[in-house]
């Protein structure tokens, strides 16, 4: 029987195979579109704490990215493109933050964030530092000239203003409340593209990458993996509520383009710096008066600390707020005003939010015992008063920052008077004389200098040629530097 029907079965199978093959060859390719259902297929399930599944509406959220459209719609109109042009410059400057060259005469570009409806815009210092003409392009294609209100190299922040009303603006969020792993958006103009939004998460806080040149630099960046490229400088880092939590400032890169690491100045520090620039023209920086280092394992062991955290005091400036409050060498600062300061950047950020005359509650460890000190911050002149912006700008325009010598320094250097140059700005008149930081100015055109006020008065006495006389620590012979004020 089997032999009788076998040919028929084989013939049927062969016919079916030929039919399927022919259908596959003759049928045109089809595009298959898979659409996600409007509601999750898991909505009818409920997972309890013990992992059991029951029927009913879900009481948990799926681990999917959060909604970004609201934050993007709020932030993009408030982010602008900035062109900073040096009309007379012909030299090449180097943009260290993005590892690329810029020609100031052709223009340096970046981003900015509108922070008030009457035209105040925050950006990076390095975006506008080389320019003498600043123009702003808005999301509605309007273009306007802007005025530089003030700039702070120590935090790489600057404030500019356009004369217009009723602008869209971003409100400041609380950067202290930002959590590692939280979703954030970076908004800016990378490669001069308009209003580009990228998303990522907060990778770390309190990061220092040694990218700023200023002596009193404050680097306590929010690190994210949101894509940031050249042109994003000065743009907004916002949370999913559309609040400004940082100003995008730098990327860590070997190629000059984005490689997964971007850094933003925290909004709480931005608010302080920009407020000072608006009100005084300069930042009113309060100093504790200490030299510091991070705590490592060996130091923690030697000092008898339970945790490898905190900021170790290696020296205290005589007459400073720290000295007045009784802080000493080898004390370890743990908190400032109740906020944990586990590293140098975290301490610098907290102190950087306050002004001369403010009193900080400093929690520290000494000989295994915790104590509290109330430290009154002082300015570079070791005073609690507000610094006059015009005087500081005058010295900064020449290219230097100074402070008076204290009694200990005068005795150590065997001097009766003088002010110490704390920083010299690259490319300035002072820099061109080859004068170096830590030079002590004792005379200006034969006039003795005992204070910063003396120095400014001597420089403003109307003489064109200026002759600085002074010494360096450990060098017996005096040095002379001559430059032209005009």
């Amino acid at each position: 029987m089997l032999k009788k029907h076998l040919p028929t079965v084989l013939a049927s199978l062969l016919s079916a195979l030929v039919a399927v093959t022919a259908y596959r060859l003759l049928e045109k390719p089809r595009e298959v579109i898979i659409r996600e259902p409007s509601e999750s297929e898991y909505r009818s399930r409920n997972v309890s704490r013990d992992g059991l599944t029951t029927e009913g509406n879900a009481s948990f959220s799926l681990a999917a990215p959060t909604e970004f459209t609201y934050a993007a719609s709020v932030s993009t109109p408030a982010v602008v493109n900035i062109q900073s042009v040096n009309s007379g410059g012909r030299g090449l400057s180097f943009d260290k933050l993005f590892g690329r060259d810029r020609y100031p005469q052709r223009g340096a570009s970046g981003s900015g964030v509108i922070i008030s409806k009457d035209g105040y815009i925050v950006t990076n210092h390095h975006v506008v530092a080389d320019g003498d003409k600043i123009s702003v392009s808005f999301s509605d294609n309007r273009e306007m000239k802007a005025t530089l209100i003030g700039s702070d190299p120590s935090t790489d922040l600057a404030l500019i203003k356009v004369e217009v009303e009723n602008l869209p603006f971003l409100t400041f969020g609380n950067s202290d409340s930002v959590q590692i792993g939280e979703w954030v958006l970076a908004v800016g103009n990378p490669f001069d593209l308009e209003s580009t939004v990228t998303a990522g998460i907060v990778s770390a806080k309190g990061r220092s990458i040694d990218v700023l040149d200023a002596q009193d630099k404050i680097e306590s960046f929010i690190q994210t993996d949101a894509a940031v490229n050249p042109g994003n400088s000065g743009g907004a880092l916002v949370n999913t509520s559309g609040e400004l939590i940082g100003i995008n400032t730098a990327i860590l890169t070997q190629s000059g383009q984005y490689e997964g690491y971007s850094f933003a100045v925290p909004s709480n520090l931005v608010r302080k710096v920009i407020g000072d620039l608006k009100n005084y023209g300069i930042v009113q920086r309060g100093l504790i008066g200490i030299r510091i280092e991070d705590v490592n394992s060996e130091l923690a062991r030697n000092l008898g600390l339970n945790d490898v955290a905190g900021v170790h005091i290696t020296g205290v400036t005589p007459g400073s707020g720290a000295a007045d409050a009784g802080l000493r060498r080898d004390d370890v600062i743990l908190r400032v005003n109740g906020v944990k300061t586990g590293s140098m950047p975290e301490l610098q950020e907290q102190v950087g939010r306050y002004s001369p005359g403010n009193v900080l509650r400093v929690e520290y460890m000494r000989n295994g015992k915790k104590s509290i000190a109330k430290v009154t911050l002082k300015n570079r002149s070791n005073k609690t008063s507000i610094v006059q912006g015009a005087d500081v700008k005058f010295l900064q325009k020449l290219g230097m920052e100074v402070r008076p010598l204290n009694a200990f320094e005068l005795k150590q250097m065997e001097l009766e008077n003088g002010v110490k140059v704390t920083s010299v700005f690259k490319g300035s008149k002072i820099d061109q004389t080859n004068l170096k930081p830590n030079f002590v100015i004792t005379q200006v055109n034969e006039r003795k200098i005992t204070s910063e006020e003396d120095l400014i008065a001597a420089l403003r006495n109307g003489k064109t040629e200026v002759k600085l006389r002074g010494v360096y620590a450990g060098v017996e012979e005096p040095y002379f530097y001559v430059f032209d004020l005009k």
Side-chain angles (χ1 to χ4, degrees):
M1 181 69 67
L2 180 60
K3 290 182 179 180
K4 181 179 179 181
H5 293 290
L6 183 58
T8 304
V9 172
L10 291 176
S12 299
L13 290 175
L14 182 59
S15 299
L17 181 60
V18 170
V20 170
T21 302
Y23 178 79
R24 291 279 180 90
L25 291 175
L26 295 175
E27 184 190 33
K28 295 182 179 180
R30 291 184 299 167
E31 181 181 7
V32 179
I33 301 176
I34 301 176
R35 300 184 184 276
E36 293 200 314
S38 58
E39 304 233 284
S40 170
E41 61 178 315
Y42 302 109
R43 185 173 178 79
S44 62
R45 295 177 179 269
N46 190 14
V47 180
S48 62
R49 292 181 182 272
D50 59 6
L52 299 177
T53 302
T54 58
E55 296 300 315
N57 290 331
S59 61
F60 65 97
S61 299
L62 295 177
T66 190
E67 177 62 44
F68 298 138
T69 55
Y70 173 76
S73 66
V74 170
S75 57
T76 49
V79 175
V80 299
N81 177 264
I82 295 175
Q83 295 288 334
S84 176
V85 179
N86 187 333
S87 56
R90 297 195 59 82
L92 180 69
S93 67
F94 186 71
D95 187 344
K96 181 178 178 182
L97 296 185
F98 283 102
R100 63 193 180 105
D101 292 331
R102 294 183 299 159
Y103 292 87
Q105 69 273 17
R106 289 205 316 239
S109 65
S111 302
V113 182
I114 306 171
I115 57 171
S116 69
K117 65 180 181 181
D118 57 345
Y120 283 98
I121 299 171
V122 60
T123 185
N124 282 140
H125 164 77
H126 77 265
V127 170
V128 297
D130 292 329
D132 54 17
K133 294 182 180 178
I134 304 170
S135 64
V136 174
S137 298
F138 297 89
S139 60
D140 59 5
N141 296 321
R142 285 184 296 169
E143 185 174 335
M144 297 182 182
K145 292 181 180 179
T147 302
L148 178 64
I149 302 300
S151 190
D152 181 43
S154 297
T155 54
D156 196 23
L157 293 172
L159 182 66
I160 63 176
K161 190 178 189 305
V162 292
E163 297 303 324
V164 65
E165 296 288 339
N166 298 320
L167 289 175
F169 64 94
L170 284 180
T171 58
F172 282 94
N174 180 10
S175 56
D176 284 347
S177 66
V178 173
Q179 301 294 314
I180 295 174
E182 178 180 340
W183 282 96
V184 290
L185 276 70
V187 187
N189 299 273
F191 308 110
D192 294 331
L193 299 174
E194 295 180 2
S195 300
T196 297
V197 179
T198 56
I201 63 168
V202 174
S203 307
K205 296 176 66 177
R207 282 285 198 230
S208 176
I209 55 175
D210 194 28
V211 72
L212 302 181
D213 293 326
Q215 183 179 18
D216 294 328
K217 64 183 179 181
I218 301 176
E219 289 193 12
S220 184
F221 296 120
I222 298 173
Q223 179 183 331
T224 78
D225 64 356
V228 172
N229 278 290
N232 269 115
S233 281
L237 186 71
V238 300
N239 58 23
T240 53
S241 297
E243 298 172 326
L244 181 66
I245 59 169
I247 296 297
N248 296 318
T249 296
I251 58 176
L252 198 60
T253 176
Q254 294 181 343
S255 66
Q257 309 301 334
Y258 173 72
E259 294 178 4
Y261 305 94
S262 55
F263 302 88
V265 181
S267 60
N268 288 351
L269 180 58
V270 174
R271 191 200 301 259
K272 149 69 177 173
V273 171
I274 295 306
D276 281 355
L277 292 178
K278 180 180 178 181
N279 294 326
Y280 307 107
I282 62 169
V283 178
Q284 301 294 334
R285 184 149 288 125
L287 306 175
I288 293 182
I290 53 177
R291 295 184 296 278
I292 56 177
E293 66 179 0
D294 283 325
V295 173
N296 56 31
S297 298
E298 182 180 359
L299 188 58
R301 187 167 51 251
N302 293 338
L303 296 176
L305 302 177
N306 295 326
D307 300 315
V308 185
V311 180
H312 177 229
I313 298 178
T314 61
V316 177
T317 302
S320 65
D324 295 343
L327 291 176
R328 304 177 193 168
R329 178 187 173 94
D330 286 337
D331 289 345
V332 175
I333 297 177
L334 305 175
R335 294 178 181 271
V336 171
N337 286 352
V339 178
K340 185 178 179 181
T341 54
S343 65
M344 287 174 55
E346 291 175 335
L347 174 63
Q348 290 168 335
E349 180 190 347
Q350 290 302 317
V351 176
R353 299 179 187 180
Y354 298 93
S355 302
N358 291 153
V359 179
L360 303 186
R361 187 176 184 273
V362 177
E363 181 181 327
Y364 65 97
M365 183 77 74
R366 179 186 294 169
N367 298 326
K369 182 180 178 181
K370 289 183 179 179
S371 299
I372 302 293
K374 292 185 177 180
V375 180
T376 301
L377 299 181
K378 298 185 179 182
N379 58 33
R380 288 190 181 91
S381 298
N382 234 13
K383 300 176 182 178
T384 58
S385 57
I386 296 298
V387 179
Q388 297 301 313
D391 291 341
V392 173
K393 283 187 174 181
F394 174 71
L395 291 180
Q396 289 179 343
K397 187 175 181 180
L398 291 178
M400 63 179 170
E401 294 177 321
V402 302
R403 68 167 177 81
L405 295 175
N406 56 52
F408 174 78
E409 291 172 314
L410 289 170
K411 182 178 180 180
Q412 189 179 44
M413 298 182 68
E414 298 180 353
L415 295 173
E416 295 180 356
N417 60 279
V419 295
K420 186 176 184 178
V421 178
T422 57
S423 58
V424 175
F425 301 153
K426 292 180 180 179
S428 65
K429 288 182 180 293
I430 297 298
D431 184 44
Q432 290 169 7
T433 68
N434 289 322
L435 185 151
K436 304 300 181 185
N438 297 321
F439 178 67
V440 176
I441 302 172
T442 58
Q443 292 182 1
V444 174
N445 293 339
E446 310 305 325
R447 173 175 173 173
K448 285 188 176 182
I449 303 301
T450 60
S451 65
E452 185 175 347
E453 291 77 11
D454 284 346
L455 174 63
I456 293 170
L459 291 171
R460 283 179 164 166
N461 70 355
K463 291 185 178 180
T464 300
E465 186 179 82
V466 175
K467 182 179 180 181
L468 303 178
R469 176 190 170 105
V471 296
Y472 290 97
V475 181
E476 294 184 3
E477 294 298 323
Y479 277 71
F480 299 88
Y481 297 100
V482 180
F483 63 94
D484 196 330
L485 273 177
K486 292 186 177 180

